[in-house]
Amino acid sequence: MNVLVVGSGGREHALVWKLKQSPLVEKIYCAPGNAGIAEEAECVSIAPMEFERLIDFVKKNAVDYTVIGMDDPLAGGIVDAFEAEGLKVFGPKKNAAILESSKAFSKNLMKKYGIPTAKYEVFSEYEKAKEYLSKQEMPIVIKADGLALGKGVLICKTMEEAQSGLAEMMLDKKFGAAGATVVIEEFMEGPEVSILSFCDGKTVIPMVSAQDHKRALDFDEGLNTGGMGAFSPSKFYTDKMDEECMKTIFQPTVDAMAKEGRPFVGIIYFGLMYTKNGMRVIEYNARFGDPETQAVLPRLKTDLLEIMLACTNGTLDKMQIEWYDNAAVCVVLASGGYPESYEKGYPITGLESLETKGIMAFHAGTAKKDGNFVTNGGRVLGITAVGESLDEAIKKAYEGVEMVDFEKKHFRRDIGIKKYN
Ligand code: AMP
Ligand code: GLY
C-alpha cells in the first residue's frame, strides 16, 4: 500500500518510522514532513489544512491510505473531505474530533454519561463568567473552549490571577475565537497519566501508558510547552487501574460518542489524573499525543498499519495487539528560549553516532542546509531510547542527549523522574 502521513512534528516522524516497518507498506509520503522525516519518507510540500491539494495528491499518486497526525485538520473536517471522495483515511470525522476541539462539548458529554471529571461550568458571556468566578475557591482552572496549541489552560492560584486571565481570554481574545467560550473548573491534584487508545467507533483498545512533561524547566518549573519529554510505562498506573478505567472511562466514552451519533474512529487520548477520589478525565485529545507517541510506538510489537486499518474497517474487536515488555523514554531537545522566542538555523552535530548505539532521534523542528541538519523550530529533536527497565531507558536516552549538539540546546534533565513516583 502507498501511505501518506499528514503533519510535520516528532509525532509524525514516529508514525512514519513505525508504519514503514509494516510489510504492507510499499511507499510512504509525508505532508509536509520535515528534514528528518525526509530521510525515511518522500515529503510533499502541502500544508495540512490544504485539503483539496492533499486529495489531489492522493489521487494522482495512488495513495491507498492517509493517516492524520495533527489536531487542526481533524477539527476542520479533513476525514469528511477525504471520505466524500471515497478515499481511505485514519482519524475521526469532524463531528467526533469535537471531543478535543471543544472542551465545553467534552465536559458536557462526560456529565451526561457519568464519566468522572472535574466539576465545571461553561460560559460564553464575560459578565456571567466573572460573577461565577468571584464566588469560587482558589486555586481554580480556566480553559479556553477551543484549540489553543495546548496553551489555553490557566491554573490560577489567586483571585486576581483568575480574573485577569479570564479577561485576557474573553475580552482581549488572547486565544482568538478559541477563548470566546470558557470552561471554569475545579482544581484537581494527583499524578497524571496519558492513555492513548485505538478506536473503531465501538471497540476501544488502550495502548501502554505514558506520562509527559509539559513545563519547560526541571521539576515542572517554567512555562507550559508542547511537551519536553515523555516516558512509557507510567510508574503508578497499574493493570488494575487500566481495567477500572476501561469500565468507567474508556468504553463509556466510546459508547457515549456512538450514542450521540458521533462514532469515534481513530485515536482517543485520555488525559487522566489519579485524584484521592479516583481516576478523573482532565481532557481528551482526538489524535496521538506529542511527545507520548515517540515513547509509546517503539514498544508496539503488532503492525501499526494493520491496527489502523482495523479501526477504519470497524474490525478492531478481532485484533490482538501486542507490546514489548520494556520501557521507552523520549527527551526533547529544544531551542534555548522555547516556548517563547528562540533562534533557528544552528547546525546540529552528532546525529550519526546515535544509530550505532541504537538510540533514535525523531525530528520535530529541523531543516537541511548545505547537506547538514540545522535547527528549525522550538522543539528540535526527540532523543528516544528503549531499555528493559525505565532506568535503563533513561540512561540510554541521556547518553544520546549528550551525543547530539547545537547552539543553545535546551532540555530537561528529569524526564522519567517525575515527582509522583
Ligand atoms: P489540558 O490541556 O486540559 O490537558 O490541561 C493542561 C494541563 O493543565 C494538564 O495536563 C494538567 O496538568 C493541568 N490541568 C488541567 N485541568 C486541570 C484541573 N482541573 N486541575 C488541575 N490541573 C489541571
Ligand atoms: N502531550 C500532550 C498532547 O499531545 O496534547
Side-chain angles (χ1 to χ4, degrees), residues 103 118 141 143 150 153 155 185-189 192 212 214 224 273 282-283:
K103 291 199 193 283
V141 181
K143 298 184 175 182
V153 175
I155 314 270
E185 73 175 30
E186 167 202 7
F187 174 77
M188 303 187 291
E189 274 179 290
E192 292 180 38
D212 73 344
K214 289 202 172 76
N224 250 329
M273 189 183 273
I282 304 174
E283 62 152 356

Side-chain angles (χ1 to χ4, degrees), residues 187-318:
F187 174 77
M188 303 187 291
E189 274 179 290
E192 292 180 38
V193 58
S194 307
I195 306 295
L196 282 59
S197 68
F198 295 106
C199 307
D200 72 352
K202 306 179 294 282
T203 300
V204 50
I205 303 184
M207 303 185 208
V208 287
S209 62
Q211 282 178 236
D212 73 344
H213 298 258
K214 289 202 172 76
R215 300 295 190 110
L217 307 175
D218 287 357
F219 300 107
D220 290 342
E221 302 282 338
L223 295 171
N224 250 329
T225 70
M228 292 298 295
F231 61 97
S232 173
S234 145
K235 285 190 253 182
F236 71 91
Y237 188 79
T238 59
D239 287 350
K240 193 155 170 277
M241 288 180 192
D242 205 45
E243 277 167 35
E244 188 63 28
C245 287
M246 192 66 186
K247 281 188 228 146
T248 58
I249 296 172
F250 306 154
Q251 194 64 54
T253 300
V254 171
D255 291 347
M257 290 298 281
K259 257 209 186 120
E260 294 290 312
R262 301 168 183 272
F264 195 103
V265 178
I267 303 295
I268 300 184
Y269 164 132
F270 297 89
L272 306 176
M273 189 183 273
Y274 189 49
T275 72
K276 61 181 187 310
N277 299 317
M279 205 66 89
R280 297 278 179 273
V281 176
I282 304 174
E283 62 152 356
Y284 295 116
N285 292 321
R287 50 166 175 83
F288 279 98
D290 193 345
E292 287 92 331
T293 303
Q294 292 89 306
V296 166
L297 288 185
R299 303 189 56 208
L300 177 61
K301 207 187 267 184
T302 308
D303 183 337
L304 177 61
L305 184 58
E306 254 185 64
I307 308 172
M308 288 179 159
L309 289 167
C311 292
T312 314
N313 296 334
T315 54
L316 193 58
D317 58 333
K318 310 270 183 331

Side-chain angles (χ1 to χ4, degrees), residues 37 48 87 135 160 181 187 256 293 321 329 342 349 375 398 404:
I37 296 175
L87 302 171
K135 294 183 195 128
E160 207 179 16
T181 296
F187 174 77
T293 303
I321 301 180
V329 172
Y342 51 83
T349 57
T375 65
Y398 278 101
V404 175

Side-chain angles (χ1 to χ4, degrees), residues 21-35:
Q21 294 169 13
S22 169
L24 299 172
V25 171
E26 272 167 53
K27 171 129 193 151
I28 190 152
Y29 298 95
C30 189
N34 61 39

